[in-house]
Amino acid sequence: MQDLSSLTLDQVLLFVTVAETGSFSAAARRLDRVQSTISYGIAQLETQLGVKLFDRTRKKPVLSPLGQALLGEAKAILQAVQDWRGHAERLMEGEETELSLVLDRIVPVQFLIGSIQHLKAHYPQVKWVVYSEVLQAITQRVLTGEAQLAITGYLRPEHHAELNVQALGHLDFVLVAAVEHPLSVLKQPLSLALLHQHTQLVIETSEDLSSYAGRSVWQLSGLWEMRDFAVAGLGWAYLPVHMVLSEVNVGRLRLLSLPGSPPARQVTISAIYRRDRPPGPVGQALLKQWRQGFRAQQAQWVLP
């Protein structure tokens, strides 16, 4: 690489300032310097680059063709240095260089995509690490330090001592089965005993399933698999409204109901992080985006 030690950022600043103000004297006034310093700095830069940046045959210096060609790059250098310094200042203020988070699989991934797209414009240097988990695996990643932040609808009371919890919004879960399923052709609401006579689809978990004793339960690895199995008529399930809305609207799934139960169960979605590892500016900006996103989306998740 060619030796760049003789070139200085100040020379680049002088070049851009003279080009913008139109004269050495105007540049001197803007930079609060004497005019001879400006003239000398430009002459030194021209010598080091081996090009004439200005035509001095007129009353005021005019950019030469080569100067015009180099001006845009010179401005880009100044902007890059300004951005670099701003990034350093934000790092000193606690901005994260990397943000790792866990997304509960019940939460629409579109929320995360939209948030990251928005934040990348303000924090382009941040590296994002995203995990997708269910149930206890979500909090486990945060507790072990693998992830700084989690967005989840699953939180046990015993976790509260170690974690800070911030509610962001809620998701509605509804009871569904395929339109050709035996439960769908019965008069609603259904009794709980009748519901338990048929196979229930649940998320695969390492937790004790003794509460399902005597009942037919199929465990699946994810919510989308649960939805597909429900559409196929293989069982009934509680699923988020946003995952079944299209299937209900086109007549592949039917909403079921129980006596005295609301049409949907609300699950609070929270942000969690270790108390000793609070999120920095990027993490806080992400949480703000999510709160706004939940408020905006609620109006779109309306069942017929």
Side-chain angles (χ1 to χ4, degrees):
M1 179 181 292
Q2 187 177 357
D3 181 21
L4 301 177
S5 60
S6 59
L7 292 173
T8 68
L9 184 63
D10 188 64
Q11 290 173 326
V12 179
L13 174 63
L14 294 181
F15 170 46
V16 171
T17 305
V18 172
E20 289 180 342
T21 59
S23 70
F24 294 146
S25 58
R29 288 192 296 271
R30 176 185 286 187
L31 298 176
D32 194 22
R33 305 185 192 184
V34 296
Q35 181 174 335
S36 60
T37 301
I38 306 296
S39 300
Y40 178 77
I42 293 296
Q44 286 294 104
L45 179 61
E46 289 177 324
T47 298
Q48 289 159 0
L49 292 177
V51 300
K52 284 294 181 182
L53 298 173
F54 293 96
D55 178 0
R56 296 172 176 79
T57 60
R58 306 180 190 182
K59 185 175 181 181
K60 289 185 177 182
V62 177
L63 277 171
S64 69
L66 292 178
Q68 291 176 345
L70 292 172
L71 180 60
E73 291 175 316
K75 289 182 176 179
I77 290 172
L78 295 181
Q79 184 62 52
V81 172
Q82 185 175 6
D83 293 343
W84 186 50
R85 183 173 62 181
H87 187 208
E89 292 172 352
R90 293 195 300 273
L91 290 176
M92 289 298 294
E93 294 170 357
E95 179 183 303
E96 304 93 323
T97 58
E98 176 179 302
L99 186 61
S100 56
L101 59 97
V102 190
L103 186 67
D104 193 325
R105 291 181 190 171
I106 69 173
V107 179
V109 72
Q110 290 83 359
F111 273 12
L112 181 61
I113 293 172
S115 298
I116 292 179
Q117 287 175 330
H118 176 83
L119 293 175
K120 276 184 68 66
H122 300 280
Y123 306 101
Q125 306 299 327
V126 175
K127 175 184 176 182
W128 295 83
V129 179
V130 182
Y131 304 100
S132 178
E133 296 287 4
V134 296
L135 303 177
Q136 67 269 27
I138 302 168
T139 50
Q140 189 63 24
R141 284 207 186 254
V142 176
L143 291 171
T144 60
E146 291 181 77
Q148 299 161 268
L149 187 66
I151 312 297
T152 180
Y154 178 86
L155 189 65
R156 287 182 162 183
E158 61 264 29
H159 292 150
H160 285 242
E162 300 177 76
L163 298 173
N164 198 308
V165 182
Q166 295 183 21
L168 302 178
H170 70 269
L171 290 178
D172 288 338
F173 277 64
V174 289
L175 186 60
V176 294
V179 291
E180 67 273 13
H181 192 280
L183 292 172
S184 295
V185 299
L186 297 176
K187 183 179 179 181
Q188 306 291 319
L190 304 168
S191 68
L192 193 59
L194 183 58
L195 193 68
H196 288 171
Q197 292 176 17
H198 297 267
T199 298
Q200 180 178 358
L201 307 173
V202 300
I203 286 287
E204 182 181 14
T205 173
S206 59
E207 295 180 339
D208 182 18
L209 295 179
S210 59
S211 59
Y212 297 102
R215 293 163 49 190
S216 174
V217 176
W218 289 10
Q219 296 184 73
L220 303 171
S221 61
L223 291 167
W224 292 106
E225 291 83 355
M226 285 175 59
R227 190 199 68 169
D228 291 344
F229 272 52
V231 169
L234 298 175
W236 58 270
Y238 276 105
L239 287 167
V241 168
H242 68 270
M243 294 182 63
V244 301
L245 186 58
S246 61
E247 302 297 331
V248 172
N249 287 335
V250 299
R252 284 194 284 264
L253 287 176
R254 182 181 177 187
L255 298 177
L256 307 179
S257 61
L258 295 171
S261 298
R265 291 181 178 179
Q266 284 196 348
V267 174
T268 299
I269 302 299
S270 301
I272 60 172
Y273 53 87
R274 279 176 29 177
R275 294 185 184 276
D276 61 343
R277 295 184 64 190
V282 183
Q284 293 294 346
L286 178 69
L287 298 185
K288 181 179 179 181
Q289 285 287 309
W290 276 72
R291 292 189 190 94
Q292 295 172 346
F294 271 107
R295 286 195 296 267
Q297 283 295 130
Q298 294 307 317
Q300 299 182 30
W301 295 332
V302 179
L303 289 165

